[in-house]
Structures are given as C-alpha cells and as structure tokens.
Amino acid sequence: MNIKNQVKVKISSIANGGKGISYHQDKIVFVSNAIPGDEANVEIIKESPKWLEAKLLEIPSNNPKREKAKCTIYNDCGGCQWLGVDYNFQTELKKSVLEDIFKKIAKHPLPSNFKLIKSPKTLNYRNKVTLRGQIDVKGQIHLGFFKKNTRTQIHTRHCSLASDNINDFIDFLYSQKIKGKEGKFRLEIRDLPYEKKQNLFVTLHAVEIKELEKKFLSLIKQNKNVLWAGTPKELNEVPLAIQDKQSQINYHTHPAAFEQINTGLNHELRTIIKTKILDLKVTSVLDLYCGSGNLSLALSNFCKFVVGLEVNKKSVDIANFNVKKNRLKNISYKAVNVKKYLEKEIEKCQIFDAIILDPPRKGIKEDLLPLLKIAPKYLFYVSCDPATLARDIKTLKTHYDIDQVYGFDFFPQTYHLETLTIFKKK
Ligand SMILES: C[S@@+](CC[C@H](N)C(=O)[O-])C[C@H]1O[C@@H](n2cnc3c(N)ncnc32)[C@H](O)[C@@H]1O
C-alpha cells in the first residue's frame, strides 16, 4: 500500500449511507464504518476534486461509543457496519442522518413530533439470511458471506444478526461432512419463529456442486428444524407456513415471498398504522406494494373495505390465502403493477380514504403522478430508504402536509432505517 495514501482523521458527523465525515486539506472525507468521535488512520481509496473516500485501517479503540465487535469477520464483512457501537448512539446517528436528508433533499424539516421506535432485539433479530458457502476437498461445509465489495467468500460459524434458529442450523451444517465435489453454493434460510417444531425454509442454489445437490438436500432435511428444503425449481410446491401471529391473525408465508425481516419491530409498525387508522377514522384503505398483506390484513376489523395491490403473483396468492384462512370478509388482493393499475383505474381508486404505500428501495417516483390525481385524504408511506422518501416528499408536499414521521429501527448494527410518514391532504 502506498503510505502517501494514509492520513489520520477525526470523524465529526455521519452521512447518509453510514459513512463517517471528516476533512483533510479542504476536502471532505467519507470513511466507511467510521462513526463520530473516531480518531483513526485511514487509507484514501478514491479521490475527486471535492471529496475523498477512505477506509479505516483499524477499528478505533479510543471512542467511548465503541466496544470491540464480537464477530470474527467484522472487519471484512459489509453486513453490520456498526456492530460494537453503543445502541442508543446508533439510533441518535440515524435520527441525525434523517434530519439532514429532510433538510437537504425534501427541503422540509423533520417534524418535531418525530419518534424513533427501537428494536426489541438488537442482535439475532433477522428471520432471513442468505449465506454463501463452500465445500472443501475434505467434504467440510463452510458458511459465510461475501467480503465487502468483492465476490470472495469469508466464513463464520455465527452471524450476530441471524436468529438463534438460523445460527443453530449453521452449527448443524458445520458438524456435517459431504464428500464428492468441491465447490460453492448459496443458501437462503428463512426462520418461521411461530412454527414451533419445524421452523426453517431452506433454498439451495447449488451453482458449482450440481452433482451433490440431492445428497446435500437430504443432509439438510436431516435437521429436525427444517420444514422444507429444496431448489429454486421446487419453490412452486412449498406448503405455506405461519411466519407470524398478531391480533388473532395468522400471517402465512412462502420462501419466495417478501417478508419484513425484523418480526418484533414489524409488530410495532402494524400496531401504529392500525392505531392511526382508527384515530383518523379512516374507513377504506388501498394498500400499495402490499406483499402478502403484512400491513393491511389486521385493518379488516376496523375498515369497511381494504384492497391490496402487488406485482408478485405468489405474494398475492399468499395474501388471499391469509384472507381466507383468517376468515376476513372485506379484503381482497390483486396481482398488478401499481403504476399501470393506478393510471387505468383512477376513478375506482378515488373511493379510498387512505393509501398505504410500502415501495421497494427506489421509492414511488414515477408512480406519484396518478397518486396525486387520486388524492386520498391520508397517505401512510413506509420507506426503507430515507433519500428516496425525501425526494418523493419534495413532490408530495405541494398537495400534502406531514402529520407525523416515525423511524423504525428494523436493522440494528447497520446504518439502515425504516420510516413511516403520515401525510394529510392540504
Ligand atoms: C418493501 S416490500 C413491501 C411488502 C409489504 N408491504 C410488507 O410489509 O411485507 C415492496 C413490495 O413491492 C412489490 N413491488 C415492486 N414493484 C412493484 C410494482 N411496480 N407494482 C406492484 N408491486 C410492486 C414487491 O414485490 C414487494 O412485495
């Protein structure tokens, strides 16, 4: 490494995307994995006329907000940037990033009634994990993740974010051998915390070890907690299972359907939406990007009618299965593209008092126009990316006031933040 590229910096604040901010020779320096209060040697890895990008050469030990991260692959794995950082401080950082984004992108202050809801579990909260794996020449199975910004595997016997059930399964695989062929594979593991006996869905993508696929799957199925294991081709035959239970509703799922990964905090999100819907006397709800009905099934008891729209047909089948199994009478879900449907059915959509929207990371940008024509009284916008939310607020604020913003810390030990913004028509 070129020593000229090394500098000592002091981190003063945090940027969107979780990078620490410092200054060096009149340039702003963005440092990955660094937090305010860190004083550290960093290596400059990119340079532009106005800014530098750098990485920590060691994790600073002199910052009282940090303790040593208890993970063997922490330095290399990009998964939890803030492992070992005081949890309250993590949530303060997330709030300050959100304030900054609101000011700079939405050109609207973060409302003073902003509330950040912490995660009931700060470790082992993920109910879904994708592991990269390798079988070595001796038949030993290794599991882990990609090294940050590369496709090189790094291996571990424990993931601090994965649920206990998933970590037990990782232990099980490490205790087994599967001889026959070296090579790499990918495992998607979904934990179903409410299925008490068998609580795991495991999908095997056996890229380099096709010959071992059958043997490997039968080994996986020997684990007593595995409810279903198979290849992506077999996904159509998977029986639905209960992912979650709340307010006497059973939420079924399937390994190919989107689910919120932090089950505990997802309960809070549903509860707050339901309480607000009641307070605001909303009687009809359109749930856009509805997945398998996570946010709207429980509204059945309080609303006259609820409709959900979602592009993934499998998720819509599960949503309608959930309706039937829970004997809900006034809810239906349709498999459609939101933008196309809204453009075509503006009048049909104008009957709803409120619209819930929970789009993917890219936000609702191009779907905003029909939404503004529909103009419901309230919008409940759930977002997993503050920057795209702020961009959309910039357009929405011409027609809507912001009633309240909540942060939900769905992803402790990382810089990510989920938000719920409630808008009221002007
Ligand atoms: C963040 S997830 C939210 C799902 C659900 N609200 C939940 O809480 O589980 C976003 C969902 O949007 C769906 N989606 C993405 N693009 C879409 C589109 N153009 N039209 C309809 N649904 C879409 C995805 O399939 C995914 O299920």
Side-chain angles (χ1 to χ4, degrees):
M1 187 208 313
N2 181 352
I3 205 84
K4 276 195 224 149
N5 287 343
Q6 280 188 32
V7 289
K8 187 158 187 171
V9 294
K10 179 160 186 180
I11 306 296
S12 54
S13 56
I14 198 89
N16 185 30
K19 289 184 178 152
I21 294 179
S22 180
Y23 297 88
H24 177 68
Q25 294 176 345
D26 296 331
K27 283 190 181 181
I28 186 164
V29 192
F30 295 104
V31 187
S32 303
N33 285 20
I35 56 163
D38 282 349
E39 282 183 66
N41 291 314
V42 301
E43 183 194 347
I44 308 293
I45 49 175
K46 240 189 210 169
E47 182 158 6
S48 91
K50 286 193 180 154
W51 52 260
L52 304 168
E53 205 178 308
K55 66 173 190 188
L56 288 171
L57 287 170
E58 77 275 349
I59 301 298
S61 56
N62 53 357
N63 187 341
K65 298 294 184 193
R66 284 187 182 272
E67 60 178 47
K68 202 171 166 359
K70 293 184 188 87
C71 171
T72 53
I73 56 169
Y74 172 70
N75 281 346
D76 290 324
C77 167
C80 357
Q81 310 81 25
W82 291 351
L83 194 65
V85 175
D86 174 76
Y87 182 58
N88 285 332
F89 192 55
Q90 291 184 29
T91 56
E92 283 169 28
L93 293 179
K94 291 182 191 195
K95 184 181 174 197
S96 86
V97 169
L98 197 63
E99 276 170 340
D100 206 39
I101 288 178
F102 263 64
K103 203 163 103 198
K104 289 191 181 134
I105 306 179
K107 311 282 181 212
H108 188 296
L110 185 66
S112 56
N113 61 0
F114 171 75
K115 218 174 172 179
L116 196 140
I117 320 273
K118 292 183 182 168
S119 178
K121 276 185 170 182
T122 57
L123 293 171
N124 306 110
Y125 60 82
R126 281 195 74 104
N127 60 34
K128 184 187 167 191
V129 169
T130 299
L131 295 171
R132 308 287 160 171
Q134 185 165 8
I135 296 175
D136 71 16
V137 66
K138 291 182 183 154
Q140 176 65 55
I141 300 165
H142 301 271
L143 296 163
F145 301 95
F146 280 148
K147 188 173 173 173
K148 220 181 305 174
N149 304 326
T150 74
R151 297 188 71 79
T152 309
Q153 289 190 7
I154 42 173
H155 297 135
T156 180
R157 285 168 176 259
H158 184 88
C159 169
S160 303
L161 300 197
S163 70
D164 292 338
N165 287 337
I166 292 177
N167 274 309
D168 288 347
F169 181 65
I170 295 175
D171 263 356
F172 165 80
L173 285 184
Y174 266 99
S175 71
Q176 306 294 314
K177 283 219 163 52
I178 178 160
K179 288 195 181 158
K181 177 135 182 21
E182 287 175 80
K184 294 179 178 161
F185 59 88
R186 175 158 60 97
L187 275 187
E188 282 167 11
I189 310 173
R190 175 79 70 85
D191 180 12
L192 308 155
Y194 288 81
E195 293 284 349
K196 288 292 176 229
K197 288 200 180 113
Q198 291 176 299
N199 43 37
L200 297 176
F201 279 148
V202 184
T203 313
L204 171 67
H205 301 252
V207 208
E208 287 183 9
I209 49 159
K210 268 273 169 258
E211 301 89 326
L212 290 187
E213 196 172 81
K214 265 199 184 148
K215 240 176 158 180
F216 199 178
L217 279 173
S218 79
L219 175 87
I220 290 172
K221 285 175 190 168
Q222 279 171 30
N223 183 285
K224 62 180 187 347
N225 290 339
V226 172
L227 176 65
W228 175 85
T231 63
K233 275 191 195 148
E234 292 163 316
L235 280 171
N236 274 341
E237 288 109 55
V238 189
L240 296 187
I242 295 175
Q243 165 81 31
D244 197 8
K245 292 184 186 196
Q246 192 183 3
S247 310
Q248 282 151 19
I249 290 187
N250 290 333
Y251 296 82
H252 295 79
T253 191
H254 177 277
F258 173 90
E259 294 299 338
Q260 303 289 357
I261 55 102
N262 185 329
T263 308
L265 205 52
N266 187 37
H267 282 196
E268 293 288 329
L269 173 62
R270 285 187 196 133
T271 304
I272 287 180
I273 291 181
K274 196 174 77 181
T275 311
K276 279 280 175 181
I277 293 274
L278 270 170
D279 285 355
L280 298 170
K281 301 193 173 25
V282 167
T283 59
S284 51
V285 173
L286 180 62
D287 180 11
L288 303 181
Y289 314 92
C290 64
S292 40
N294 175 44
L295 302 176
S296 51
L297 282 163
L299 303 179
S300 160
N301 292 336
F302 312 98
C303 292
K304 282 192 194 137
F305 55 94
V306 178
V307 174
L309 307 179
E310 159 65 47
V311 80
N312 180 323
K313 169 127 184 11
K314 188 75 213 174
S315 294
V316 173
D317 288 346
I318 300 166
N320 284 320
F321 180 87
N322 279 326
V323 169
K324 214 166 144 192
K325 272 277 178 194
N326 290 293
R327 300 204 175 102
L328 309 176
K329 296 283 175 243
N330 49 0
I331 300 196
S332 61
Y333 292 94
K334 288 188 203 333
V336 292
N337 175 299
V338 160
K339 182 171 179 251
K340 286 187 189 152
Y341 186 88
L342 296 188
E343 279 170 351
K344 224 170 84 198
E345 304 287 0
I346 283 189
E347 273 175 32
K348 265 194 196 165
C349 297
Q350 278 165 338
I351 57 172
F352 295 97
D353 298 342
I355 293 188
I356 296 176
L357 2 118
D358 183 7
R361 190 157 284 275
K362 67 182 170 115
I364 46 173
K365 194 178 177 192
E366 63 270 24
D367 305 356
L368 268 172
L369 238 48
L371 198 67
L372 290 176
K373 285 188 192 153
I374 294 166
K377 224 169 169 180
Y378 300 104
L379 292 175
F380 289 70
Y381 187 157
V382 179
S383 159
C384 61
D385 184 346
T388 57
L389 166 72
R391 178 207 60 206
D392 292 339
I393 288 177
K394 216 173 145 201
T395 313
L396 285 168
K397 73 181 183 184
T398 54
H399 295 62
Y400 285 88
D401 290 322
I402 295 181
D403 178 56
Q404 184 147 19
V405 181
Y406 294 88
F408 290 86
D409 194 20
F410 268 39
F411 315 99
Q413 321 306 336
T414 79
Y415 61 81
H416 295 283
L417 180 67
E418 190 91 1
T419 53
L420 164 67
T421 307
I422 303 172
F423 297 86
K424 188 171 186 300
K425 203 162 90 178
K426 282 185 195 277

